[in-house]
Amino acid sequence: MTRDYEKFPEDDNGNLLWQMQEDGDDLEEIHEIEFSMYFKTQQAAEQCAIHLLHEEQKVSLYLDEDVEPNEWVITVYVNLLPDYEDIVDLEQWFGKIAEQFEGEYDGWGCTAYVFDGLDDEE
């Protein structure tokens, strides 16, 4: 398959989406995309999480004790078709929100949905 650079531009997002496509992920199916933000204080993270809840976003919040110094992590879960333009728009929006609350946008990821097309026969 030849890469369509309009659909999968040559940058981090385009490369990840292209890799998903190449791995057999069905990009025509809705995925739960996870967008992450990091905060130095619990208070800033909680304020941002409340803001995101008011924006009707599904979020989780936890303290990442595996990094030094510890950071508070918000993950925002968005169900959508993994489309380049939509992901870029959401990254910009979440980046601005993270900055409002003295945090940092970190990136996105999702579970791959790969089906081999074979029926389970027992």
Side-chain angles (χ1 to χ4, degrees), residues 32-49:
E32 184 174 66
I33 311 285
E34 301 175 6
F35 297 87
S36 297
M37 304 175 211
Y38 290 86
F39 299 85
K40 293 182 190 267
T41 68
Q42 180 177 0
Q43 180 180 5
E46 288 175 348
Q47 288 174 342
C48 184

Side-chain angles (χ1 to χ4, degrees), residues 16-96:
L16 181 53
L17 290 167
W18 175 245
Q19 187 62 52
M20 291 168 65
Q21 175 84 22
E22 284 288 284
D23 289 345
D25 198 343
D26 186 354
L27 301 183
E28 300 301 317
E29 293 289 325
I30 291 178
H31 289 56
E32 184 174 66
I33 311 285
E34 301 175 6
F35 297 87
S36 297
M37 304 175 211
Y38 290 86
F39 299 85
K40 293 182 190 267
T41 68
Q42 180 177 0
Q43 180 180 5
E46 288 175 348
Q47 288 174 342
C48 184
I50 289 168
H51 175 80
L52 289 163
L53 289 170
H54 284 289
E55 294 289 330
E56 299 183 1
Q57 299 301 308
K58 177 181 168 185
V59 301
S60 68
L61 169 66
Y62 70 93
L63 178 63
D64 186 351
E65 297 177 349
D66 292 334
V67 297
E68 285 295 328
N70 297 155
E71 294 181 309
W72 289 87
V73 180
I74 292 177
T75 303
V76 185
Y77 303 90
V78 180
N79 291 314
L80 70 140
L81 293 174
D83 173 76
Y84 178 84
E85 295 297 330
D86 291 340
I87 288 172
V88 169
D89 288 347
L90 285 168
E91 280 195 310
Q92 291 172 351
W93 187 56
F94 290 133
K96 288 177 185 174

